[in-house]
Amino acid sequence: MSRSWRSEAGAAMILALLALTLMSLMGMIVLRILNQGFVHTSSAEARIHAEMLAQVGIDEVNAIVQSAVKTGNQNTDYRGKVTNTVDNIKHALEAISGTAISSFPTTVEYEVETNQGTYKVEITSQVISNPNDKDLIEYVPDYPYVQEIKVTSIGESRRFRPGVRVSKEMTIYVSTINPVFRYPISADGELILNGASHIVGNVYVDNLNNASGNVTISNKARFITNINQQHTIQSGTASMEGFIQAAGKYMVEDQYGNMRERDFEREFFQHRKPFSDEYLTPAEVIDVEETVANIIGNTDLINEMITQIADSRSRSPDGFGAEIIGNGTTINNGIHFRSVWVEAQGDLVVKGNLLIEDGTLFISSGANVIFEPISDSKSSLYVKYDDPNLIAAYLTGNLSVPDGEFVAIDGNVIMNNLNFKGTMFVNGQLKIIGDLNIEGSVYVVGDIEMKEMNSINEQVSEDAASVVLVSSGKIILSDNLTDPDAASRIRAFLYSASDDMDLYGVISKLEIIGGVHGRKVTLNAVRGESSKESRPGLIVHPSGYYFDADQDSLMSVDGNGNRTIRSRLQVKQDLSLYTNPPIGIPITEEVNMFIQEITYK
C-alpha cells in the first residue's frame, strides 16, 4: 500500500512538471506574439510619424514658393514679374536654409529637430528659361520663364529604435507657360472617352460658355469607314495614370447601354485608374486671332520691314513672273517681291527680310533656307496672297528663322515633309502632309488638316524642343483606313481654340506625346491589333475590318519580357514643354506654379 501511494505521488509530480513546462512555453509564445505585435504597432506608428515629418518639409517649401510667386506678380511688367519672382525664390531659400545664394542653379539644405524626430530638406533649383537673359522681342510672344525646384524631404522618427526614415520628393515648376500645357488632355466644355484609350498625365475639363463640363465614359469605340459609314465596336474602357478634374458630372454607360449621371469613381476606368483632384488649375484661353493679327495685317510692322530692304523687284499688274532664289547664294539686306512667283532651291541664306506681296512662295524639297539675324533690321519672312482657293506658300525642305523673328503667311499653306525651326503665323488654312519636324510654334487663324500626315517630330530627340500647333478653328485628324499596321507618332501639342477635336485609334494606331485641347475632345480607341485581313486572334467586324478578340488586357509581353501598352490611341504628357520650351509657346502675363509630382521612398 505504501509503495503504491509513493508511485502514484511520483507520477503526479511528473505530470505537474510537464504541465508547468507546457504553460511556461505557452506563456513565452504569448509574450512573443504580444511583443511582436507591440513592435509592429510601434514600427507602424514610427513610420507614420516619419512620413508626417517628411511632409512638413514638403509643405514648408511649397508655401514659400507660393508666397514668392504671389509677391512677384505684384509687378505690372511681364519681365519685371519674372525678375521679382526669381529674386523672391532666391531670398526665400536663403532665409529657410541660412545659406547665401549667389545665383542659380543652386542646392541648399536645412534640418529641423522636433519632439517626434527630425526632418532634413534638400532643395535644388535651376532657372531653365529667363526672358531677361534675352534681348527684348516685339510682335511675337516673349520668351517663357521656367524655374525648376526639386525638393527631397527625409523624416526620421525617434519613437522607435532603430529610427524609421521616410523620404518624399517633390518637383515644382514656376513659369509663365500657359497652364494648358500641363495637361495631355484638356477641354473647354466636354470630354468623351469612347473605348480603351490610354492617358498618361492629368486631365482637366472646364465648363466655359455654359458648356456641361461633363466626362462621358463608354466601352464602345466609334469609327467611320472610307464609305462614310459609322460603326461601333465594344472594347474596354479608358485607362489613365494621373489626376482628373471635371467641372460637370461623369456620364457612364451602364450594363444596359444607358448613360447614367454619376459622381466620380475610379472604377469608371480600367486597369490604370486616376484620382480626382479638385485643385487642378484651369487652362487659360489662347487668343489666336489677336496673336496672329499682331503680325499679319500690322501695317506699321510691314512698312518697317519694307524700309529695311535694299532690293525691290516687281512685275506689272497684268503680269505674273517667276524668280528662282538660292542655289548657294546669300541675300544681303533683304529682298521685296511684288506679283512674283518665287521658288527657293538649294542652299539659301537670307540676311534681312524676305517679303512677297501678291505672290506665292515655293520652297523645294532639296532647299535649305536659313534666315540670319543682322543688326538694325529684322530677318523674317512675309508672304501675302489673298486668293482663298489657292496656296500662298508651299513649304518643304528646311526652313529656319532666328528667335524673335517669324514666318508670316497671309494665305493658305501646305507643309510637306518640312523641317522648320522658329515661330510661324498663318492667316488661312494649313495642310500638313507626310513627316513634319518642327521646333517652335505655329499659330493658325483657320483649320489645320492632318489627314495625310504620317508623323510629327518622330525622329527628333526627346530632349529637343517640341512644337505647339495652335488653331482658331478645327484640327482635323482621321483614322488611317489604308494601313492599320502603320503607327503614327505625334510629338506635339495640338490646341483648337474654338472647335471640337476627334481622335481615333480604332483602325489606325496613334501616339501623341504632348497633348490635345479643344472645346469638346473625343477619344475613340480599341486594344490590340486591327487589320483589313483575317489573322490569328482577330475577329471579323461588320465593317469588314478585323479586330483583336482580347479587348481587356492592358499590356502585351514579347519574348524578351518587354511590356507594351496595347491601346491603339495613347496620349501622354511631354514635360519637355517645360524643361526645353519651344520658342513662341503661348505664355501668361502672370507667373504661375504647379507641382509636377510627389514621390515616396
Side-chain angles (χ1 to χ4, degrees), residues 561-574:
N562 298 316
R563 303 170 70 86
T564 305
I565 298 290
R566 297 176 66 246
S567 173
R568 297 184 69 82
L569 174 57
Q570 301 181 37
V571 187
K572 305 173 183 178
Q573 180 193 31
D574 185 1

Side-chain angles (χ1 to χ4, degrees), residues 202-220:
N202 300 335
V203 170
Y204 189 91
V205 183
D206 214 333
N207 59 350
L208 299 182
N209 301 319
N210 299 316
S212 68
N214 289 344
V215 177
T216 300
I217 301 173
S218 166
N219 65 353
K220 297 182 180 66

Side-chain angles (χ1 to χ4, degrees), residues 164 257 315 424 562:
V164 175
R315 294 289 182 268
M424 183 180 297
N562 298 316

Side-chain angles (χ1 to χ4, degrees), residues 151-373:
V151 185
T152 300
S153 179
I154 301 173
E156 182 175 1
S157 173
R158 293 176 180 167
R159 296 189 62 181
F160 180 72
R161 293 291 182 267
V164 175
R165 290 186 176 187
V166 172
S167 176
K168 290 189 175 183
E169 296 181 355
M170 173 177 66
T171 302
I172 299 174
Y173 287 97
V174 182
S175 80
T176 55
I177 292 177
N178 191 309
V180 71
F181 299 107
R182 305 174 188 176
Y183 306 115
I185 300 286
S186 61
D188 288 332
E190 186 178 2
L191 172 63
I192 299 176
L193 301 175
N194 292 328
S197 57
H198 182 72
I199 303 166
V200 179
N202 300 335
V203 170
Y204 189 91
V205 183
D206 214 333
N207 59 350
L208 299 182
N209 301 319
N210 299 316
S212 68
N214 289 344
V215 177
T216 300
I217 301 173
S218 166
N219 65 353
K220 297 182 180 66
R222 292 163 173 77
F223 64 103
I224 302 173
T225 61
N226 51 13
I227 55 175
N228 286 325
Q229 287 186 336
Q230 295 189 6
H231 298 274
T232 61
I233 177 172
Q234 186 160 344
S235 62
T237 55
S239 56
M240 180 182 162
E241 304 173 31
F243 294 89
I244 186 169
Q245 179 182 345
K249 295 289 186 178
Y250 289 82
M251 307 298 297
V252 182
E253 188 174 19
D254 64 19
Q255 58 183 331
Y256 304 107
N258 301 316
M259 304 305 297
R260 302 291 187 186
E261 183 179 297
R262 305 274 298 276
D263 292 327
F264 173 80
E265 293 181 20
R266 297 185 69 211
E267 300 307 314
F268 297 157
F269 296 81
Q270 193 174 12
H271 300 296
R272 307 284 173 83
K273 302 174 183 181
F275 292 91
S276 177
D277 185 353
E278 61 182 11
Y279 296 107
L280 293 180
T281 303
E284 291 194 19
V285 175
I286 300 173
D287 193 335
V288 188
E289 288 88 349
E290 180 179 342
T291 304
V292 173
N294 200 37
I295 303 288
I296 297 176
N298 186 337
T299 54
D300 291 338
L301 171 61
I302 305 305
N303 289 334
E304 177 188 347
M305 294 174 67
I306 293 173
T307 58
Q308 296 170 346
I309 293 174
D311 187 1
S312 180
R313 306 177 192 180
S314 63
R315 294 289 182 268
S316 64
D318 327 345
F320 193 83
E323 288 273 356
I324 295 177
I325 55 178
N327 292 320
T329 62
T330 298
I331 296 176
N332 292 300
N333 300 315
I335 190 168
H336 183 198
F337 293 102
R338 292 179 183 272
S339 301
V340 176
W341 185 83
V342 179
E343 180 177 353
Q345 300 178 351
D347 292 333
L348 172 65
V349 175
V350 181
K351 297 181 178 180
N353 299 309
L354 171 56
L355 271 74
I356 303 172
E357 293 188 279
D358 300 319
T360 62
L361 172 65
F362 178 84
I363 297 180
S364 65
S365 60
N368 183 31
V369 181
I370 299 174
F371 284 74
E372 293 185 353

Side-chain angles (χ1 to χ4, degrees), residues 39-84:
V39 169
H40 289 159
T41 301
S42 299
S43 179
E45 288 182 357
R47 181 169 181 81
I48 291 172
H49 283 287
E51 195 170 313
M52 291 172 60
L53 289 168
Q55 186 62 44
V56 171
I58 293 292
D59 292 341
E60 282 182 350
V61 179
N62 188 20
I64 66 170
V65 174
Q66 285 185 359
S67 177
V69 170
K70 182 178 180 180
T71 308
N73 279 326
Q74 293 176 358
N75 195 298
T76 58
D77 175 68
Y78 170 75
R79 292 197 171 196
K81 291 175 182 177
V82 172
T83 299
N84 283 2

Side-chain angles (χ1 to χ4, degrees), residues 382-593:
Y382 176 83
V383 180
K384 178 180 175 63
Y385 192 61
D386 287 334
D387 194 328
N389 299 311
L390 298 177
I391 302 300
Y394 188 98
L395 308 177
T396 185
N398 302 293
L399 172 63
S400 66
V401 295
D403 290 354
E405 302 297 329
F406 56 82
V407 172
I409 312 294
D410 193 357
N412 301 324
V413 178
I414 291 179
M415 296 179 177
N416 188 354
N417 295 310
L418 173 69
N419 300 313
F420 172 67
K421 185 174 183 180
T423 308
M424 183 180 297
F425 304 90
V426 177
N427 183 34
Q429 309 300 314
L430 170 62
K431 185 174 183 178
I432 297 174
I433 301 172
D435 299 306
L436 192 66
N437 290 301
I438 295 183
E439 293 184 28
S441 304
V442 180
Y443 295 80
V444 180
V445 176
D447 297 337
I448 301 177
E449 182 187 317
M450 305 170 67
K451 289 183 177 180
E452 299 177 55
M453 173 218 66
N454 294 331
S455 68
I456 297 180
N457 287 353
E458 182 174 24
Q459 306 301 325
V460 174
S461 166
E462 294 289 343
D463 297 328
S466 184
V467 59
V468 172
L469 297 175
V470 182
S471 168
S472 67
K474 295 181 179 180
I475 297 181
I476 306 167
L477 296 97
S478 63
D479 244 351
N480 184 346
L481 302 177
T482 58
D483 188 3
D485 292 326
S488 295
R489 185 174 186 267
I490 298 176
R491 185 165 175 259
F493 196 100
L494 311 178
Y495 182 100
S496 175
S498 61
D499 225 308
D500 303 342
M501 189 178 301
D502 298 330
L503 301 179
Y504 294 91
V506 181
I507 298 172
S508 61
K509 190 172 185 179
L510 176 62
E511 179 185 24
I512 298 177
I513 301 173
V516 296
H517 175 92
R519 182 178 60 187
K520 180 174 76 172
V521 176
T522 302
L523 275 58
N524 293 279
V526 298
R527 293 189 176 103
E529 291 187 58
S530 297
S531 176
K532 297 176 70 175
E533 302 172 349
S534 177
R535 295 178 185 173
L538 306 187
I539 56 176
V540 68
H541 184 269
S543 63
Y545 287 89
Y546 294 82
F547 296 99
D548 206 306
D550 179 9
Q551 289 296 320
D552 290 325
S553 300
L554 175 68
M555 308 185 86
S556 61
V557 183
D558 64 17
N560 296 320
N562 298 316
R563 303 170 70 86
T564 305
I565 298 290
R566 297 176 66 246
S567 173
R568 297 184 69 82
L569 174 57
Q570 301 181 37
V571 187
K572 305 173 183 178
Q573 180 193 31
D574 185 1
L575 197 57
S576 74
L577 291 168
Y578 283 84
T579 59
N580 189 12
I583 184 67
I585 189 171
I587 58 174
T588 57
E589 285 299 315
E590 293 197 339
V591 179
N592 59 79
M593 64 168 282

